[in-house]
Amino acid sequence: MSFCVPNAISWSITDNCNLKCKHCYSSKIDEDKYDMSYEKVMEVIRLLDNYGIFRITLTGGEPLMRKDIFDIIRELKKRAFCVEINTNGTLINKDISKKLKELDIDGVRISLDGSNKYSHDKFRGIKGAFDKSIKAIEILKEDNHRVNVTTIPNKLNLDEMSSLFNIIDYYDIEEWHFFRLLATGSAINNKELILNKEEYIRVMKWISSIDKKNPKVRISFNDPIYSLINENDRITGGCGAGKLYLGMNTKGDFSLCPSMPMTIGNIFEENLEDIFVKKIVRKARNNSLIEECSVCKYKEKCGGCCSASYSIYGNDFTEDPFCIKDIIEGEKL
């Protein structure tokens, strides 16, 4: 290879889903949904292997809705990829868990956005989702899978973080991941669920405190501004978009981040090395894409969230709307 590329791809393997989540960045109306053919999926896997990609995270939609998902995972594992699957958990049963175990999948990440039926099911759009997700965790843990949980802080679960942690602790979850709710996809029509800056800071501070008190659970917050709040040296702050990973949708279009609906190239049309040296990717890699962040004293540690900036300002990338520099500076006085 003539140039270093990211070592991980977050790959939306299907647009189909059995839930109606209020936040989904990949939601599409039925006529716009697209699933790549199995033959094209195999071609993509071959190309990613040739580019030296190491880690693949299969997302959606709901990856388990693809009838050939086990064949896809089998091919990835045959080529020695590290493979993790992001799922809402509602389709997992003993048979699926056993198949995933036989395929030696490296991790199963379950979405859990509430500590009870009300908040989780309302956020996920289908009654019964909470019970099925909890059952999935139980089944996967019984089969000794590496189970991680993803949570998106929002208005519905703002006061449930402690209760959520009790669930994480009870099931001995190894990693707990957090993502910022952005005004993209379905969330454009559900902006009332997005936390304001003060609420968001409160959540991040609580998460940071839990991280310090409970070292057995590895906590990560996929938001660069969290690095300005979290003082735990175990956690690497900042955003990996364009540095460590890229997003790829069902048509093979790459994006800096899975939650950022801005195409920077296509795997069938361009070499990944050529995509990775494009100006926008280079600027993201150097924390210089967002105008205000590019001249900030916290540029190297934070750099702002490109997806958040894009969701508000589009291609201008003016600032991160949740910038907390002034707040951090005030607390130091």
Side-chain angles (χ1 to χ4, degrees):
M1 290 174 57
S2 60
F3 199 89
C4 179
V5 299
N7 62 22
I9 299 292
S10 180
W11 183 3
S12 181
I13 200 71
T14 179
D15 284 334
N16 292 305
C17 188
N18 59 326
L19 299 187
K20 299 177 181 179
C21 302
K22 296 184 180 297
H23 72 290
C24 184
Y25 55 77
S26 63
S27 64
K28 296 179 176 68
I29 58 176
D30 288 342
E31 53 264 38
D32 290 336
K33 290 181 178 179
Y34 175 83
D35 274 13
M36 195 181 291
S37 70
Y38 178 75
E39 291 73 24
K40 285 206 167 192
V41 168
M42 291 299 106
E43 183 181 353
V44 168
I45 292 174
R46 179 185 60 80
L47 289 170
L48 294 177
D49 193 12
N50 290 341
Y51 289 134
I53 301 299
F54 169 70
R55 182 182 297 274
I56 300 290
T57 300
L58 297 173
T59 69
E62 170 51 53
L64 293 175
M65 297 241 348
R66 280 198 68 126
K67 295 180 179 179
D68 55 6
I69 188 63
F70 300 115
D71 294 325
I72 293 171
I73 294 172
R74 183 177 294 107
E75 180 64 20
L76 287 166
K77 292 300 297 182
K78 187 175 77 173
R79 291 176 178 265
F81 284 97
C82 177
V83 184
E84 185 176 58
I85 187 168
N86 282 8
T87 171
N88 58 49
T90 60
L91 300 178
I92 289 178
N93 53 33
K94 286 293 293 184
D95 183 54
I96 288 177
S97 177
K98 182 180 178 181
K99 287 179 180 177
L100 291 173
K101 192 67 177 177
E102 290 172 349
L103 290 169
D104 194 29
I105 197 162
D106 297 280
V108 182
R109 187 181 295 186
I110 303 290
S111 299
L112 196 62
D113 294 302
S115 63
N116 55 66
K117 298 177 184 180
Y118 170 77
S119 54
H120 181 83
D121 290 3
K122 188 169 184 179
F123 193 67
R124 291 284 161 177
I126 297 291
K127 288 184 177 181
F130 177 78
D131 288 340
K132 290 179 179 178
S133 295
I134 292 296
K135 185 62 178 177
I137 292 173
E138 293 174 348
I139 291 172
L140 292 165
K141 293 296 289 186
E142 286 174 3
D143 289 339
N144 296 313
H145 281 281
R146 181 172 175 267
V147 183
N148 301 325
V149 166
T150 293
T151 298
I152 299 177
N154 63 82
K155 294 282 190 180
L156 295 173
N157 64 20
L158 177 61
D159 297 318
E160 297 180 17
M161 291 298 151
S162 293
S163 299
L164 272 164
F165 175 74
N166 290 338
I167 295 174
I168 299 297
D169 187 51
Y170 178 80
Y171 287 107
D172 198 24
I173 300 299
E174 295 182 34
E175 296 185 19
W176 193 10
H177 304 275
F178 293 87
F179 292 84
R180 191 195 310 189
L181 178 56
L182 303 175
T184 60
S186 297
I188 292 176
N189 297 318
N190 295 287
K191 292 180 181 179
E192 72 279 1
L193 295 177
I194 299 176
L195 301 179
N196 60 43
K197 185 185 290 190
E198 290 71 25
E199 292 168 331
Y200 195 55
I201 291 172
R202 173 156 61 97
V203 169
M204 287 192 290
K205 286 184 175 180
W206 180 87
I207 293 169
S208 181
S209 69
I210 287 294
D211 184 41
K212 297 172 184 177
K213 297 174 184 176
N214 298 273
K216 74 173 186 175
V217 180
R218 185 181 184 277
I219 293 177
S220 67
F221 207 128
N222 195 32
D223 191 327
I225 66 174
Y226 178 64
S227 63
L228 300 180
I229 287 179
N230 177 37
E231 298 177 354
N232 191 338
D233 290 335
R234 281 193 310 115
I235 301 297
T236 301
C239 182
K243 307 180 186 73
L244 303 176
Y245 62 82
L246 293 175
M248 184 171 65
N249 69 13
T250 54
K251 295 182 179 180
D253 295 325
F254 285 111
S255 59
L256 288 173
C257 174
S259 62
M260 186 174 172
M262 178 184 186
T263 299
I264 58 173
N266 184 283
I267 194 167
F268 298 114
E269 300 172 0
E270 300 176 75
N271 291 325
L272 188 52
E273 297 101 317
D274 294 335
I275 294 172
F276 199 51
V277 296
K278 288 184 177 181
K279 183 177 180 181
I280 187 171
V281 184
R282 286 188 282 110
K283 292 183 75 171
R285 194 163 62 243
N286 296 325
N287 288 348
S288 300
L289 183 57
I290 303 174
E291 183 179 345
E292 290 293 325
C293 300
S294 67
V295 294
C296 177
K297 64 185 290 186
Y298 299 111
K299 170 187 173 181
E300 299 304 322
K301 189 174 183 180
C302 174
C305 176
C306 300
S307 294
S309 182
Y310 183 82
S311 71
I312 302 296
Y313 304 107
N315 293 338
D316 289 337
F317 294 104
T318 305
E319 63 179 357
D320 185 326
F322 271 17
C323 175
I324 61 172
K325 178 180 65 174
D326 293 342
I327 295 174
I328 293 296
E329 292 295 322
E331 291 179 350
K332 290 180 178 179
L333 295 177

